[in-house]
Amino acid sequence: MFLRKVEITYVSPCLADPQKIRLKAELSDDITEVMPYLNATVKAAIYNHEAPNLTLSKEFRLITLYPRELTMIKALNTTDAWQVIDWLQELINDTYARRSEIAPDYRRKRRPHPLQLYSWLPRLNCKKCGEQHCLAFAALLFSGQQELKNCEPLFSHNYREQREVLLELAKALR
Ligand code: SF4
């Protein structure tokens, strides 16, 4: 087995949504080698080969994989987090086992879809950016008529993780 064990090391309420949790977990093995293969196969993954790290989502849950660690935000509770971790471990091990059939993808990222941008925004529909709602902001961001810095809530402490992902996605829009 490539990744033998995942251990949750830290849990706290989500800053942006205290009903949900955020967590960190330690990986028993270095998963750097499998990241380009995950990047090639996981739809809408965000990969930074230099770092290295890879971000993906499972429905509303947002996960970032590092060589020996993962972070997850917006999990419902620890039971839900463990289910997602089991799914991830299986995904990683299955991808590693099939790596001879997959062409690894080392590229930073393909251009993200507006809905992908929307999913990482605070989604408060507060109009502070001058748009009627976050979906309109995402569409204009995609077409280059809006800038991430105009979403004021995104730059508050509560949205740190989402901001990091969006800043990474914005690089692929240029
Ligand atoms: S400022 Fe941000 S959170 Fe508020 S409506 Fe605009 S995109 Fe949405």
Side-chain angles (χ1 to χ4, degrees):
M1 188 182 281
F2 177 63
L3 174 60
R4 291 163 300 150
K5 199 172 158 199
V6 181
E7 202 169 328
I8 295 179
T9 53
Y10 171 82
V11 180
S12 72
C14 257
L15 297 169
D17 182 355
Q19 303 302 313
K20 297 196 173 93
I21 61 165
R22 59 207 289 263
L23 59 102
K24 280 185 184 179
E26 231 172 65
L27 311 182
S28 60
D29 303 273
D30 188 329
I31 61 163
T32 304
E33 190 185 343
V34 81
M35 286 188 189
Y37 297 92
L38 289 170
N39 189 38
T41 53
V42 175
K43 207 175 157 205
I46 304 160
Y47 180 49
N48 182 340
H49 184 60
E50 288 74 40
N53 60 50
L54 182 134
T55 299
L56 67 159
S57 57
K58 175 122 175 87
E59 289 111 33
F60 47 85
R61 306 162 195 88
L62 311 174
I63 304 139
T64 302
L65 300 173
Y66 302 92
R68 298 295 293 256
E69 185 182 73
L70 70 82
T71 61
M72 191 187 307
I73 59 172
K74 297 189 183 178
L76 295 174
N77 47 45
T78 45
T79 307
D80 180 58
W82 274 118
Q83 283 170 354
V84 176
I85 286 172
D86 286 347
W87 168 79
L88 268 172
Q89 192 172 358
E90 203 177 310
L91 174 73
I92 289 166
N93 284 329
D94 179 59
T95 304
Y96 184 77
R98 293 189 303 107
R99 68 192 183 287
S100 61
E101 307 156 19
I102 305 167
D105 185 351
Y106 297 92
R107 291 172 299 173
R108 231 169 210 275
K109 213 44 231 173
R110 300 154 290 265
R111 194 170 163 79
H113 189 274
L115 283 178
Q116 195 184 356
L117 298 171
Y118 171 71
S119 71
W120 294 92
L121 283 169
R123 291 190 273 171
L124 300 172
N125 295 325
C126 65
K127 304 183 186 173
K128 286 184 179 166
C129 55
E131 310 305 337
Q132 286 304 305
H133 41 69
C134 301
L135 194 54
F137 181 84
L140 291 168
L141 189 64
F142 178 77
S143 62
Q145 297 171 75
Q146 259 293 6
E147 290 182 74
L148 217 44
K149 66 175 191 215
N150 293 333
C151 175
E152 190 188 306
L154 187 66
F155 288 82
S156 69
H157 178 63
N158 289 1
Y159 295 98
R160 186 168 48 85
E161 290 100 340
Q162 284 161 255
R163 179 171 69 244
E164 280 169 17
V165 173
L166 275 165
L167 287 167
E168 195 61 42
L169 282 174
K171 289 178 191 163
L173 289 172
R174 289 179 204 142

